[in-house]
Amino acid sequence: MPVTYLELENFKSYAGKQRIGPFQDFTSVIGPNGSGKSNLMDAISFVLGVQSRDLRSSQMKDLIFRPPGTTDEDLSASATLVYKAEDSDEETLFSRSISTKGVGDYSVNGHIVPFSKYEEALANIGVLLKGRNFLVFQGDVDSTARKTPKELVQWFEDISSSSELKERYEDAFEKMQDAEANARTASQKQKGFMKKRRELKNQKDEAEKFKGLVDSKVELLTEFFLWQLFHIRTDVEEKEDALTELSGELEESNGSVEEAAQKVRGTKKEASASRSVSSKLDKKRVKLVAEIDQSQPSIIKTEEEIKNLDKKIAAEKRKHIKIVKESETREDTLQTLEKEIKEYSETEEHLQQEYEEMKSQGNVALTEDQEAEYERIREAASVASGKPRHALGAANRRLESARVKAAALSEEMKEFKTRKAEASNKVTELTERRDKLGESIQKTRDDLQNSKDELKNVQKTAADDGVKRQSIDAELENINHTLRDVRDVKRKNDTEARLEDAIASLKRYFPGVKGRLAKLCQPTMKRYDLAVTVAGGKDMDAIVVDTKKTGFDCIQYLRTNQIGTATFLPLDTLQVPNPASTERIRAMLEHDSKHRLTCDVIACSDDSIKKAVMYAVGNSVVCEDLDSARELCFGGKNRRQHGNDMRFKAVTLGGAVISTAGTMTGGVSSDNKARTGRWNDREVEKVRNRKEELELELADLDKADRGMTQTDRRASRGGRTSKIEELRNRVGNLTNRLQYSESDLQFTKKKLKEQDVLVQEAIQIVRDAEEEHYGPFREQTGLKDFRAYDESVGKSREEYLKKRLAIREHLEKLKAQKKYEDGRKFDEAIAKKEKGIDNLKKKLGVAKSCESDIAKTISELKAKLANVESEMEEAAGIEKDFDDRVSTAQAAYKEAQSENKKLSKTINTEESNLESLRAKLHETLQKARVEEAEIPLLGAGDADEITDQSSRTSRANRRGQNDDDTEDLGSSELMTQGTVISTHFSQHDDSRVMKDRNDTNRIDLSRLRKELKQRVSDRKEKELYKKFAVDIEKVTSQIEGMSPNMKARDAFDAVVEQLEECNEDFTGAKNKAKKSTKDFENIKEKRSERFNVAFQHIAKSLTTIYKDMTKSSKHPLGGNAYLSLDDTDEPYNGGIKFTAMPPMKRYRDMEYLSGGEKTIAALALLFSIHSYRPAPFFVMDEVDAALDNVNVLKLCNYIRHRSKDFQCIVISLKDMFYEQSQGLVGICRNVPTNSSRTLTLDLTKFDKNDDAGTSSRKRSGSLSVGSRKRISATSAKSTN
């Protein structure tokens, strides 16, 4: 307990001397409004050095209590805070007093000290006056939440002590800017001199460059022509030597060609002889092969005959074995047949007895003879009555036909009457219309005068029709757009046509396939279509199967046929929500019409599909709108009644979704529209019908009714007259047909009566014919009713006769088989089979003998063929050897010819090249004379040149303008430019060729560089030539484009001296700027470090503290709060953004939070700041004013949890808050003296005396107000 007591004397409402305390780790200051609670807060602030403006007083003397009857001179106020260090239990007294004159003193342990020492003593115990890390005034929480980013930065500077470096920072920054300005000035001056130096240096370099270019051009031209002349002369000499050698090689080549030709002719003769031998052997081989081929069919036929004989012998042997076995089992077979015959005879007798017993049970029993007689008579009666019966059937058919015809005639007569009446009505109508048209003719003549007025009306109508047409076109466009969307969806669905066909195939192959879930269920109402589509998602397109195995089989089928992909829902393994949770949600939503379970708004074609539907939609809830979905998921009476742990997935009718995690998504995608559209086919049909109606209406408008002319009216009237005549004719025809039909009907009715009589007569004839045969038998047997006898006995007799017939047929088969077995002679059959087998074996021996003879013949032929083929191989080898010799000789001949031609061509080419080289040599010499190149000659010294050097030097000096220095060149031998004449350079003894050779030999080539004398490729030579030409052209163009200042050297030397002086000034200014920048960076780094250390600690603590203060059973993770810097490099120059996100809410700025949310966030920030520079105590004034009970409890729990780290003194008016504290300080008004008095209560002793071992705040939920009053009445003591 750092703060143990607070001693006040005449401070505000506290009269006299009062000792308040002791204070516990968590002490609540309570009391009614106006009792002086905030004055206690002011007293603590006063003794800790807070200024008067923060103590709700304009002047310090206003803090003194003034009792009645006292003067200002005698009054003073003081406050003493007794601080006890936890580690040493040493007490320190901090005191502050004030007089009526506004003069105050600070003292520590009774010794008066200046404010700086007093502040230092407080800082030693962790109390920072500027950072205000020890108290929170009433309203500070709200002001903290409303602080701007700049105010937060200033607050953090006070807390981190970085504000102490602010003045040094600004001074260093100003010095750094001045030093940088001086350095920039010196730099600009330095740059000016450097620029001038560069210009003069460029002029000096240009003059030197001009002189060097002139010398370079002379050297380039000399080297260029020396290089050309050297290589041309070398090439000419090489070509002449090569031509001499090639001439000798050509003579040798001609002899080689003749020798190769003779060798080719000899080898060809030998090869022809070997080919004739090979041809004879080949003919012999062909003859032998033909003989062998002719023998092959005979041996194949013999082999097939041997195989057939082997098969026949094997078959005959099997039959022989079968006959032997049957002869051995003959006696057993006969005994079995006799036994079966006896059994079936006994069965027949037993059946006869059963039938006789059945007959004896009736009234009249016929003997077997009588029954036979009865059957005969019945057949005879049937034959006798056959003709009358046939006549009776024909009469019945005629009677039925007459009845049908009579009915048809009656209907036709009615139709004729109807049509006659209609025709008569039309005749009357057309007659009346004709009369009216006659009247309208006269009326039309009268209306002709008014046609112009009617024309205007028609034009107006046309305009109205145009407007109507536009509206119809617009509506048609919307309808077409809708239908295009539908067609687009159908096109998308067409891409799944193969999958639909595959599903149909799956249903055929796998009985467990149910179909697509979307086809197996249907929303109960259209308004739920979109919600069901969104809730089910892609699972609505999945295929439902009965078992997991069926699903795997279907997947394998799709993969094998490469149809596509699909999702399968096996009903036996689907995991669906717990039915108990589903019923609990259904019961909760039962009385709310805005919410329904998604599974309850889906109708299934089969109850087994319900499981797949539950898997797709789960326990999601369909809501009317987004507000009702928010109410269900985030709050409302349902959540309070059923617990905060109940989470829902809500889907609105508009397609918005709130997941169980609280995330919200909205909008309708094209896929969802397409899926929803599968239940809207009827709506599409309505749209199509509306489109057809509009198109018909538009077609009617397009028919411009411009009226009818007089001619049209006459044509119309004539048409109606002809139609009247046509209808009259039609009425007459119908009348005639009606009369005919009536007479036909009467005749048919007459015939119908006659047929009835004939039918009755035929029936009587049939009866008479039957009675003629049945009468004598009836008298003989006494059987009166034959039909009743047939019904009672006939069926049993038929069964009896059927069974007896089957028994007798089987007996006959058994007897026939026994007779067959008795007549069989096995010995003859066995001997016959053995004889047949011997004959087949003889045939087999003959066939094999024939096969061996044919095989021997073929072997001999094959041996001869092998000999012939070996001879052919030997002859072919010899022939190949001769052919190779011929080929070798021909190749040698061709090679010799090719070499000869090649040498001839090479000689021609070399001669041509030599001529070109001689021409080139002549041309180069001529060009050197034209270009006035300095070509050194032997015998004239290195100074001998082709052209006059003095003239060229004089031109160079004139171009240099100011260069008066010239060199005195030595005398030189001149080669003047001669006249170019035409000559034949292919003739080595030509005079011009010899002159060029002599001139070339006189040239001194020792000045040519060694690398230029080396032989290079043609490509490299061209590159060198091009390089010389480019270099010469470049130097020439540079010389011609230059106008140098030849006196620039002296001016350049003067500027260099001035630049050295400027460099020294710039170096000093630069060093000074570096030093000031370094000092600034050090101060900046220290200030930033202080600020960032505080910021990072507070930001990290804020996240943890805010989570701890917002945790609950409903939100175990709590909320989030963050601090972010606008300027991370120099944070004190920017701002700090304070952002909080309460549980289950998104990030938002402080101004958009509720009062309680702002308070919790601000308190979290205050506690975080306190954790950075923790004071040993923390005093807060009514910080819970804007908090509800839940947040008050969270704040109390946090303070109790942190009371081990620091002492907390809180002024509060809420009982839920001070119920959780460890000690109470009660403040009340002393009415007679109009002052405040205090009472203290230590609540920790009640925690220790708790018999149940639990906290006193948990004995009955919390310490009741009545209990506190009783305790305070007995345990409180006055501190006066």
Side-chain angles (χ1 to χ4, degrees), residues 36-53:
K37 301 187 299 298
S38 297
N39 291 337
L40 179 64
M41 179 73 175
D42 293 341
I44 297 173
S45 304
F46 172 76
V47 76
L48 293 176
V50 177
Q51 301 300 318
S52 62
R53 64 177 179 271

PDB file of all heavy atoms in Angstrom, residues 36-53:
ATOM      1  N   GLY A  36     -18.170  15.764  -1.385  1.00  0.00           N
ATOM      2  CA  GLY A  36     -16.766  16.149  -1.396  1.00  0.00           C
ATOM      3  C   GLY A  36     -15.839  15.089  -1.927  1.00  0.00           C
ATOM      4  O   GLY A  36     -14.640  15.120  -1.640  1.00  0.00           O
ATOM      5  N   LYS A  37     -16.372  14.154  -2.702  1.00  0.00           N
ATOM      6  CA  LYS A  37     -15.511  13.100  -3.247  1.00  0.00           C
ATOM      7  C   LYS A  37     -14.472  13.692  -4.191  1.00  0.00           C
ATOM      8  O   LYS A  37     -13.298  13.364  -4.131  1.00  0.00           O
ATOM      9  CB  LYS A  37     -16.349  12.052  -3.985  1.00  0.00           C
ATOM     10  CG  LYS A  37     -17.396  11.366  -3.141  1.00  0.00           C
ATOM     11  CD  LYS A  37     -18.055  10.228  -3.881  1.00  0.00           C
ATOM     12  CE  LYS A  37     -18.763  10.698  -5.135  1.00  0.00           C
ATOM     13  NZ  LYS A  37     -19.853  11.631  -4.830  1.00  0.00           N
ATOM     14  N   SER A  38     -14.941  14.570  -5.093  1.00  0.00           N
ATOM     15  CA  SER A  38     -13.998  15.167  -6.046  1.00  0.00           C
ATOM     16  C   SER A  38     -13.005  16.078  -5.346  1.00  0.00           C
ATOM     17  O   SER A  38     -11.870  16.262  -5.831  1.00  0.00           O
ATOM     18  CB  SER A  38     -14.763  15.954  -7.111  1.00  0.00           C
ATOM     19  OG  SER A  38     -15.589  15.087  -7.860  1.00  0.00           O
ATOM     20  N   ASN A  39     -13.382  16.675  -4.200  1.00  0.00           N
ATOM     21  CA  ASN A  39     -12.423  17.485  -3.445  1.00  0.00           C
ATOM     22  C   ASN A  39     -11.275  16.632  -2.912  1.00  0.00           C
ATOM     23  O   ASN A  39     -10.144  17.100  -2.782  1.00  0.00           O
ATOM     24  CB  ASN A  39     -13.121  18.203  -2.295  1.00  0.00           C
ATOM     25  CG  ASN A  39     -14.068  19.293  -2.801  1.00  0.00           C
ATOM     26  OD1 ASN A  39     -13.889  19.787  -3.919  1.00  0.00           O
ATOM     27  ND2 ASN A  39     -15.054  19.663  -2.001  1.00  0.00           N
ATOM     28  N   LEU A  40     -11.599  15.366  -2.557  1.00  0.00           N
ATOM     29  CA  LEU A  40     -10.533  14.450  -2.156  1.00  0.00           C
ATOM     30  C   LEU A  40      -9.584  14.194  -3.309  1.00  0.00           C
ATOM     31  O   LEU A  40      -8.360  14.134  -3.129  1.00  0.00           O
ATOM     32  CB  LEU A  40     -11.154  13.131  -1.664  1.00  0.00           C
ATOM     33  CG  LEU A  40     -10.158  12.060  -1.220  1.00  0.00           C
ATOM     34  CD1 LEU A  40      -9.358  12.535  -0.007  1.00  0.00           C
ATOM     35  CD2 LEU A  40     -10.895  10.760  -0.886  1.00  0.00           C
ATOM     36  N   MET A  41     -10.149  14.047  -4.503  1.00  0.00           N
ATOM     37  CA  MET A  41      -9.330  13.890  -5.702  1.00  0.00           C
ATOM     38  C   MET A  41      -8.453  15.120  -5.925  1.00  0.00           C
ATOM     39  O   MET A  41      -7.257  15.014  -6.238  1.00  0.00           O
ATOM     40  CB  MET A  41     -10.249  13.665  -6.913  1.00  0.00           C
ATOM     41  CG  MET A  41      -9.514  13.501  -8.228  1.00  0.00           C
ATOM     42  SD  MET A  41      -8.714  11.905  -8.323  1.00  0.00           S
ATOM     43  CE  MET A  41      -8.088  11.966  -9.982  1.00  0.00           C
ATOM     44  N   ASP A  42      -9.034  16.322  -5.713  1.00  0.00           N
ATOM     45  CA  ASP A  42      -8.266  17.552  -5.864  1.00  0.00           C
ATOM     46  C   ASP A  42      -7.146  17.636  -4.816  1.00  0.00           C
ATOM     47  O   ASP A  42      -6.061  18.152  -5.095  1.00  0.00           O
ATOM     48  CB  ASP A  42      -9.180  18.768  -5.739  1.00  0.00           C
ATOM     49  CG  ASP A  42     -10.155  18.858  -6.907  1.00  0.00           C
ATOM     50  OD1 ASP A  42      -9.882  18.221  -7.943  1.00  0.00           O
ATOM     51  OD2 ASP A  42     -11.195  19.542  -6.784  1.00  0.00           O
ATOM     52  N   ALA A  43      -7.421  17.123  -3.597  1.00  0.00           N
ATOM     53  CA  ALA A  43      -6.401  17.166  -2.548  1.00  0.00           C
ATOM     54  C   ALA A  43      -5.198  16.308  -2.926  1.00  0.00           C
ATOM     55  O   ALA A  43      -4.040  16.706  -2.747  1.00  0.00           O
ATOM     56  CB  ALA A  43      -7.012  16.700  -1.231  1.00  0.00           C
ATOM     57  N   ILE A  44      -5.475  15.113  -3.467  1.00  0.00           N
ATOM     58  CA  ILE A  44      -4.370  14.247  -3.898  1.00  0.00           C
ATOM     59  C   ILE A  44      -3.603  14.903  -5.037  1.00  0.00           C
ATOM     60  O   ILE A  44      -2.359  14.893  -5.068  1.00  0.00           O
ATOM     61  CB  ILE A  44      -4.903  12.862  -4.306  1.00  0.00           C
ATOM     62  CG1 ILE A  44      -5.558  12.165  -3.105  1.00  0.00           C
ATOM     63  CG2 ILE A  44      -3.795  11.996  -4.873  1.00  0.00           C
ATOM     64  CD1 ILE A  44      -6.250  10.861  -3.455  1.00  0.00           C
ATOM     65  N   SER A  45      -4.336  15.511  -5.985  1.00  0.00           N
ATOM     66  CA  SER A  45      -3.675  16.183  -7.100  1.00  0.00           C
ATOM     67  C   SER A  45      -2.867  17.368  -6.607  1.00  0.00           C
ATOM     68  O   SER A  45      -1.761  17.641  -7.107  1.00  0.00           O
ATOM     69  CB  SER A  45      -4.729  16.646  -8.117  1.00  0.00           C
ATOM     70  OG  SER A  45      -5.520  15.557  -8.536  1.00  0.00           O
ATOM     71  N   PHE A  46      -3.414  18.114  -5.603  1.00  0.00           N
ATOM     72  CA  PHE A  46      -2.744  19.300  -5.067  1.00  0.00           C
ATOM     73  C   PHE A  46      -1.409  18.929  -4.432  1.00  0.00           C
ATOM     74  O   PHE A  46      -0.379  19.545  -4.704  1.00  0.00           O
ATOM     75  CB  PHE A  46      -3.665  19.982  -4.059  1.00  0.00           C
ATOM     76  CG  PHE A  46      -3.024  21.106  -3.304  1.00  0.00           C
ATOM     77  CD1 PHE A  46      -2.808  22.339  -3.909  1.00  0.00           C
ATOM     78  CD2 PHE A  46      -2.639  20.940  -1.975  1.00  0.00           C
ATOM     79  CE1 PHE A  46      -2.208  23.367  -3.208  1.00  0.00           C
ATOM     80  CE2 PHE A  46      -2.039  21.974  -1.282  1.00  0.00           C
ATOM     81  CZ  PHE A  46      -1.825  23.197  -1.890  1.00  0.00           C
ATOM     82  N   VAL A  47      -1.411  17.873  -3.594  1.00  0.00           N
ATOM     83  CA  VAL A  47      -0.182  17.512  -2.913  1.00  0.00           C
ATOM     84  C   VAL A  47       0.849  16.929  -3.872  1.00  0.00           C
ATOM     85  O   VAL A  47       2.039  16.959  -3.597  1.00  0.00           O
ATOM     86  CB  VAL A  47      -0.493  16.522  -1.767  1.00  0.00           C
ATOM     87  CG1 VAL A  47      -0.760  15.135  -2.331  1.00  0.00           C
ATOM     88  CG2 VAL A  47       0.659  16.451  -0.776  1.00  0.00           C
ATOM     89  N   LEU A  48       0.382  16.478  -5.049  1.00  0.00           N
ATOM     90  CA  LEU A  48       1.307  15.911  -6.044  1.00  0.00           C
ATOM     91  C   LEU A  48       1.713  16.941  -7.090  1.00  0.00           C
ATOM     92  O   LEU A  48       2.272  16.579  -8.126  1.00  0.00           O
ATOM     93  CB  LEU A  48       0.679  14.708  -6.720  1.00  0.00           C
ATOM     94  CG  LEU A  48       0.456  13.494  -5.806  1.00  0.00           C
ATOM     95  CD1 LEU A  48      -0.255  12.376  -6.549  1.00  0.00           C
ATOM     96  CD2 LEU A  48       1.766  12.998  -5.226  1.00  0.00           C
ATOM     97  N   GLY A  49       1.447  18.232  -6.841  1.00  0.00           N
ATOM     98  CA  GLY A  49       2.005  19.301  -7.679  1.00  0.00           C
ATOM     99  C   GLY A  49       1.176  19.714  -8.848  1.00  0.00           C
ATOM    100  O   GLY A  49       1.677  20.431  -9.733  1.00  0.00           O
ATOM    101  N   VAL A  50      -0.110  19.341  -8.924  1.00  0.00           N
ATOM    102  CA  VAL A  50      -0.958  19.731 -10.049  1.00  0.00           C
ATOM    103  C   VAL A  50      -1.303  21.196  -9.901  1.00  0.00           C
ATOM    104  O   VAL A  50      -1.534  21.710  -8.799  1.00  0.00           O
ATOM    105  CB  VAL A  50      -2.218  18.854 -10.101  1.00  0.00           C
ATOM    106  CG1 VAL A  50      -3.139  19.307 -11.221  1.00  0.00           C
ATOM    107  CG2 VAL A  50      -1.820  17.390 -10.299  1.00  0.00           C
ATOM    108  N   GLN A  51      -1.368  21.927 -11.039  1.00  0.00           N
ATOM    109  CA  GLN A  51      -1.640  23.350 -11.016  1.00  0.00           C
ATOM    110  C   GLN A  51      -3.112  23.615 -10.728  1.00  0.00           C
ATOM    111  O   GLN A  51      -3.969  22.745 -10.837  1.00  0.00           O
ATOM    112  CB  GLN A  51      -1.250  23.983 -12.369  1.00  0.00           C
ATOM    113  CG  GLN A  51       0.214  23.794 -12.727  1.00  0.00           C
ATOM    114  CD  GLN A  51       1.147  24.408 -11.708  1.00  0.00           C
ATOM    115  OE1 GLN A  51       0.905  25.521 -11.222  1.00  0.00           O
ATOM    116  NE2 GLN A  51       2.226  23.693 -11.380  1.00  0.00           N
ATOM    117  N   SER A  52      -3.414  24.900 -10.386  1.00  0.00           N
ATOM    118  CA  SER A  52      -4.762  25.269  -9.941  1.00  0.00           C
ATOM    119  C   SER A  52      -5.789  25.140 -11.048  1.00  0.00           C
ATOM    120  O   SER A  52      -6.971  24.878 -10.785  1.00  0.00           O
ATOM    121  CB  SER A  52      -4.753  26.704  -9.396  1.00  0.00           C
ATOM    122  OG  SER A  52      -4.377  27.611 -10.434  1.00  0.00           O
ATOM    123  N   ARG A  53      -5.368  25.320 -12.316  1.00  0.00           N
ATOM    124  CA  ARG A  53      -6.344  25.242 -13.405  1.00  0.00           C
ATOM    125  C   ARG A  53      -6.943  23.842 -13.536  1.00  0.00           C
ATOM    126  O   ARG A  53      -8.028  23.675 -14.078  1.00  0.00           O
ATOM    127  CB  ARG A  53      -5.686  25.650 -14.714  1.00  0.00           C
ATOM    128  CG  ARG A  53      -4.575  24.740 -15.177  1.00  0.00           C
ATOM    129  CD  ARG A  53      -4.040  25.191 -16.523  1.00  0.00           C
ATOM    130  NE  ARG A  53      -2.953  24.349 -16.970  1.00  0.00           N
ATOM    131  CZ  ARG A  53      -1.673  24.552 -16.680  1.00  0.00           C
ATOM    132  NH1 ARG A  53      -1.342  25.610 -15.904  1.00  0.00           N
ATOM    133  NH2 ARG A  53      -0.729  23.762 -17.116  1.00  0.00           N
TER     134      ARG A  53
END
